[in-house]
Amino acid sequence: MELGLVGLGKMGGNMAVRLVRGKHRVVGYARHPEVVAAVVKEGAEGASSLKELVGKLKPPRIVWLMIPSGAPVDQTLESLHPLLAPGDLIVDGGNSYYRDTLRRAALVRSWGFRYVDVGTSGGVWGLTEGYSMMVGGDAKDVEGIRPILETLAPGPTKGWGRMGPVGSGHFVKMVHNGIEYGMMQAYAEGFAVLQAKQEFALDLHQISEVWRYGSVIRSWLLELTESALAENPTLKGIEPWVMDSGEGRWTVIEALDLNVPAPVITLALEQRLRSREADPFAERLLAMMRNKFGGHEVKREG
């Protein structure tokens, strides 16, 4: 089977390599030629433009996008519009907001194209471990790309599935990432409590290694935590600044819209926001309020 892959970052590049190794024909395109050259060395074919990529594919074409969510997806779709033909299939495998996916799917269908969304998890480990893929789209369209999904997944019958109509794949991936926020926060808080108990001189790396086997809290995320602690037990040189991809925010917004309480995910998101405050105004104001009503001491800078 053949497809055009647009976006060859860490995940997209690794997906191209996995597909090539699975005997699929892949034509790759990215803005930077050196990125394209890297996957060509692995057996993919390169393209210097979207037009060239489309020209190298036999209709009906499959064009798989692995690009950042938001405007880049809309811009790429507009660029593909005059290049594709009715019946061609566009797959968005990035982290798009599912509401944007619904809008784009309607637009693309008005052009005569088909649209499938694939929420993709696996990161840099996907090349060797396979990707978890949450797929949304018409059943026939999903079935048509089954060989690609089976190759990218950990196994032909595991790690992937059709969630429902278009948009559902990105919706499920959104909630997946919200859960990820909560799990990461729980591990981080637990290890912080362990680290604070100085009288026991606990070895956090040893604890993470023990918990990996037989424990009810064992997980792949814990394995990655163990690896991080093995490399840097005290986390020296790491700033307490945590980024968010946006999907945790979308999950919280959706929970509010659906009147579903999601306190763990919400608080985990708020902790990430708090981690970026170099000069937290709220805490300064709290200190002054305590001083005003109770005469409590205020620590002064400098």
Side-chain angles (χ1 to χ4, degrees):
M1 198 166 193
E2 67 173 31
L3 77 157
L5 186 58
V6 180
L8 301 171
K10 289 183 178 179
M11 183 177 287
N14 284 343
M15 290 175 69
V17 173
R18 190 173 176 92
L19 287 168
V20 168
R21 292 177 180 176
K23 308 304 180 184
H24 297 281
R25 177 174 176 252
V26 178
V27 181
Y29 166 71
R31 291 180 299 168
H32 303 291
E34 64 273 16
V35 177
V36 178
V39 298
V40 170
K41 288 182 179 179
E42 297 290 341
E45 297 178 39
S48 59
S49 66
L50 286 175
K51 183 176 182 180
E52 183 181 358
L53 177 141
V54 171
K56 288 187 173 184
L57 299 173
K58 298 176 183 178
R61 306 169 186 87
I62 301 171
V63 179
W64 189 302
L65 310 182
M66 288 301 295
I67 57 180
S69 62
V73 178
D74 291 308
Q75 293 164 1
T76 303
L77 292 178
E78 290 293 341
S79 297
L80 286 170
H81 181 195
L83 303 176
L84 297 177
D88 288 346
L89 172 65
I90 298 174
V91 179
D92 182 359
N95 284 334
S96 291
Y97 186 26
Y98 86 96
R99 293 183 186 272
D100 289 337
T101 299
L102 293 174
R103 170 180 57 80
R104 290 169 184 147
L107 177 64
V108 166
R109 285 170 176 167
S110 73
W111 297 340
F113 312 149
R114 298 170 292 146
Y115 205 77
V116 167
D117 56 296
V118 180
T120 310
S121 180
V124 296
W125 294 91
L127 176 59
T128 55
E129 303 295 324
Y131 298 90
S132 174
M133 291 172 294
M134 296 138 267
V135 189
D138 290 343
K140 289 183 178 179
D141 293 338
V142 175
E143 186 63 27
I145 60 172
R146 173 183 285 272
I148 296 172
L149 298 169
E150 290 180 342
T151 300
L152 290 172
T157 60
K158 60 183 181 182
W160 77 274
R162 177 178 178 265
M163 303 294 101
V166 70
S168 63
H170 282 152
F171 181 82
V172 174
K173 177 57 163 52
M174 176 189 75
V175 177
H176 165 283
N177 279 29
I179 294 170
E180 177 185 296
Y181 279 38
M183 291 176 64
M184 292 176 68
Q185 186 66 31
Y187 279 128
E189 291 177 7
F191 278 99
V193 173
L194 295 172
Q195 190 272 339
K197 194 65 173 176
Q198 295 294 311
E199 65 193 80
F200 287 161
L202 298 171
D203 183 336
L204 301 190
H205 173 248
Q206 179 199 28
I207 293 169
S208 65
E209 178 67 17
V210 169
W211 284 351
R212 285 179 57 198
Y213 303 96
S215 167
V216 70
I217 63 168
R218 66 187 184 274
S219 70
W220 183 43
L221 184 55
L222 181 59
E223 292 179 15
L224 298 176
T225 303
E226 180 274 328
S227 177
L229 290 171
E231 296 170 4
N232 189 349
T234 63
L235 305 183
K236 184 178 180 179
I238 307 297
E239 290 190 18
W241 196 101
V242 187
M243 186 61 181
D244 75 281
S245 63
E247 292 191 281
R249 298 177 186 227
W250 301 336
T251 303
V252 171
I253 292 170
E254 197 67 28
L256 291 171
D257 286 346
L258 295 171
N259 293 317
V260 175
V264 172
I265 297 173
T266 302
L267 289 173
L269 171 62
E270 291 179 353
Q271 272 303 115
R272 294 194 179 198
L273 301 179
R274 178 59 60 87
S275 76
R276 303 172 209 166
E277 292 191 20
D279 186 19
F281 180 82
E283 280 69 18
R284 291 173 181 269
L285 187 56
L286 283 171
M288 288 305 300
M289 283 190 282
R290 292 186 76 250
N291 174 262
K292 291 298 182 182
F293 72 68
H296 300 289
E297 179 184 0
V298 174
K299 290 187 177 182
R300 302 290 178 179
E301 291 180 336

